[in-house]
Amino acid sequence: MAQRRTARGLLSRGEIVDAALAFAEEAGLQALSLHKVADRVGVRTMSLYRYVRDKDDLLDAMGDAVLTAMTVPEVESMTWEEALAALADAFRAAVRAHPHAAPLLLTRRINAPASLPMVETTLKVLTSQGLSAKEAVHVLRVYIAFLIGTLLREVGTAPTYASDSSALSAGSPDALADSGFPLVADAATELSVCDHEAEMKFGLAMFTAALRERLGAS
Amino acid sequence: MAQRRTARGLLSRGEIVDAALAFAEEAGLQALSLHKVADRVGVRTMSLYRYVRDKDDLLDAMGDAVLTAMTVPEVESMTWEEALAALADAFRAAVRAHPHAAPLLLTRRINAPASLPMVETTLKVLTSQGLSAKEAVHVLRVYIAFLIGTLLREVGTAPTYASDSSALSAGSPDALADSGFPLVADAATELSVCDHEAEMKFGLAMFTAALRERLGAS
DNA sequence: ACCTGAACACCGTTCAAGT
DNA sequence: ACCTGAACACCGTTCAAGT
């Protein structure tokens, strides 16, 4: 073991985080343990503690890494509508690259510097349209809340991408049709299918419409 | 122990779920274990397995219970704007009643029948304004994504309601001002404060504006 | 039918010890 | 400085056993 280590060079925080991310995508986040990560990295569990304060610290670092890997688009030459769509796309791509790790950045406190490039660019788009810093922050929060809710739904199809089209609520159309709720029954077919990309586009269109009105009013 | 049991009557799934919810609010979700729940209920760990398949099954039941406790408002006499606001309010109240358990219903798959009353009422409001079942489902999903993202932010101030005003991203205004991102620095004050109720209202207003436009167009 | 004792493999984390 | 062995209290879960 010590040999394999020296052969590969020193252990590092980055190597540990990468191993943890790889493990999470293979086996799921619940299966992740420091013991398993250590195994994968070829080291004994306790060695991790030189690079990682905690299991929680590791989880934070994983979320951070996923967010850092996001490529923030160049928005200079775009309309604001295109820019917001491109930002959403880039965020979605980063999340989909690590669906099992995604909850770490979607649900843990985003206090990471890693989120700032995206925030900065979004604020640039919004303020370039005449919003004040204050208004831009409110609009940013609505935008992010929508993105998080939408991506959580997409990625919350937790176990290993079970099926591509997943229900909003109860499983089968039949269960919904027999639920005893007339409008749910009417919409059973629609409710039991979810095209994540289309839903994202639909929501972005609503968001854009609302923002356009707000911009016009100012 | 057996005495205490028979004195109180039989153990039940509901009693276990209630104890688990109470424990989660006191000690946090990460501290929740079947051993601790059993302790609280006055029983040995293994007794729980007669009422609960799994720890996961218990967590599902907890989320379900929180959602079931939601009082769906009577919307008959309201405008659709008021109805959507009342629904959001009711959902928010249910979530805030169990902030530590909230992630269970906000991030786990909502396949629960418990969500159907709220879905039914929302669909009623939307279709009453002339939306087709299909359109109503799309709009519903945007609405729910926004609510989930927003409430997750509010409640994600995880540990025991640490502070009422919480940051979107990096902690202190100072850290944001020194982040090297000019627009983030400009908005540092706004970014470091978050009035959750006001943000919810702001987002609902945007959602309502977008929906109004969509209704007018059809 | 309902609860328990004993036991399992596994977990996060510590501390003192090796090189 | 970096890694490890031994050990800790605690997990989720099982199985066979009590009443």
Side-chain angles (χ1 to χ4, degrees):
Chain A
M1 289 297 144
Q3 280 78 351
R4 218 161 116 215
R5 263 306 96 209
T6 34
R8 279 215 242 155
L10 287 181
L11 193 53
S12 75
R13 188 171 163 95
E15 191 185 355
I16 292 168
V17 170
D18 287 347
L21 282 173
F23 184 92
E25 292 313 323
E26 279 174 24
L29 210 49
Q30 325 99 314
L32 186 87
S33 79
L34 294 179
H35 292 264
K36 303 259 190 61
V37 173
D39 269 5
R40 177 178 269 263
V41 134
V43 103
R44 311 300 255 192
T45 315
M46 314 62 101
S47 309
L48 302 182
Y49 281 87
R50 187 156 299 270
Y51 303 92
V52 145
R53 194 176 48 254
D54 247 348
K55 188 183 185 182
D56 240 53
D57 184 39
L58 174 58
L59 295 175
D60 281 341
M62 292 168 68
D64 221 78
V66 173
L67 207 50
T68 302
M70 170 178 166
T71 310
V72 177
E74 281 296 340
V75 297
E76 316 297 346
S77 60
M78 299 182 186
T79 66
W80 64 266
E81 290 98 331
E82 288 168 345
L84 292 179
L87 278 160
D89 246 43
F91 190 47
R92 179 162 179 256
V95 163
R96 282 167 53 98
H98 294 280
H100 277 102
L104 295 174
L105 61 141
L106 297 176
T107 70
R108 307 193 129 225
R109 212 123 155 47
I110 315 183
N111 39 7
S115 66
L116 293 182
M118 183 200 182
V119 167
E120 175 76 11
T121 303
T122 309
L123 289 177
K124 189 192 306 176
V125 172
L126 297 175
T127 54
S128 77
Q129 296 306 307
L131 291 187
S132 68
K134 190 169 147 81
E135 278 176 305
V137 167
H138 294 316
V139 172
L140 167 72
R141 285 190 173 132
V142 175
Y143 180 67
I144 289 182
F146 162 71
L147 290 180
I148 286 181
T150 301
L151 290 175
L152 219 40
R153 187 209 298 133
E154 173 163 4
V155 121
T157 315
T160 328
Y161 262 140
S163 88
D164 208 26
S165 66
S166 72
L168 160 73
S169 43
S172 69
D174 292 359
L176 290 168
D178 296 349
S179 64
F181 292 98
L183 294 170
V184 168
D186 281 357
T189 318
E190 314 294 344
L191 280 170
S192 62
V193 177
C194 188
D195 176 338
H196 296 294
E197 184 162 351
E199 300 291 349
M200 172 68 89
K201 264 194 186 127
F202 185 92
L204 272 178
M206 284 190 73
F207 177 82
T208 301
L211 181 53
R212 189 177 300 116
E213 181 178 310
R214 179 165 291 270
L215 292 174
S218 67
Chain B
M1 288 297 142
Q3 280 78 352
R4 221 161 113 214
R5 263 307 96 208
T6 33
R8 279 215 242 155
L10 286 181
L11 193 55
S12 75
R13 188 172 163 98
E15 191 186 355
I16 292 168
V17 170
D18 287 348
L21 283 172
F23 184 93
E25 293 312 324
E26 279 174 25
L29 210 51
Q30 323 98 316
L32 185 87
S33 79
L34 294 180
H35 293 263
K36 304 259 191 58
V37 173
D39 269 6
R40 177 178 269 264
V41 134
V43 104
R44 312 300 256 192
T45 314
M46 312 63 98
S47 309
L48 302 182
Y49 281 86
R50 186 156 299 270
Y51 302 92
V52 144
R53 194 177 49 255
D54 245 350
K55 186 183 186 183
D56 241 52
D57 184 37
L58 174 58
L59 294 175
D60 281 341
M62 291 168 68
D64 221 77
V66 173
L67 207 50
T68 302
M70 169 179 168
T71 311
V72 178
E74 281 297 338
V75 297
E76 315 297 344
S77 60
M78 300 182 186
T79 65
W80 64 265
E81 290 98 331
E82 290 168 344
L84 291 179
L87 278 160
D89 247 42
F91 190 46
R92 179 162 178 258
V95 163
R96 283 166 53 97
H98 294 280
H100 278 102
L104 295 174
L105 60 141
L106 296 176
T107 70
R108 308 192 128 224
R109 211 123 156 44
I110 316 183
N111 39 7
S115 66
L116 293 183
M118 182 199 182
V119 168
E120 175 76 11
T121 303
T122 309
L123 290 177
K124 190 191 305 178
V125 172
L126 297 175
T127 54
S128 77
Q129 297 305 308
L131 291 186
S132 69
K134 191 169 147 81
E135 278 176 305
V137 167
H138 295 316
V139 172
L140 167 72
R141 285 189 173 134
V142 175
Y143 179 67
I144 289 182
F146 162 71
L147 290 180
I148 286 181
T150 300
L151 290 175
L152 219 41
R153 188 209 299 133
E154 174 162 4
V155 120
T157 314
T160 328
Y161 261 142
S163 88
D164 207 25
S165 65
S166 72
L168 160 73
S169 43
S172 69
D174 292 0
L176 291 168
D178 296 349
S179 65
F181 292 96
L183 294 170
V184 169
D186 281 357
T189 318
E190 314 294 344
L191 280 169
S192 61
V193 177
C194 188
D195 176 337
H196 296 293
E197 183 162 350
E199 299 291 349
M200 172 67 90
K201 265 195 186 126
F202 185 92
L204 272 178
M206 284 190 72
F207 177 81
T208 302
L211 181 51
R212 190 176 299 116
E213 182 179 310
R214 180 165 291 270
L215 292 174
S218 66

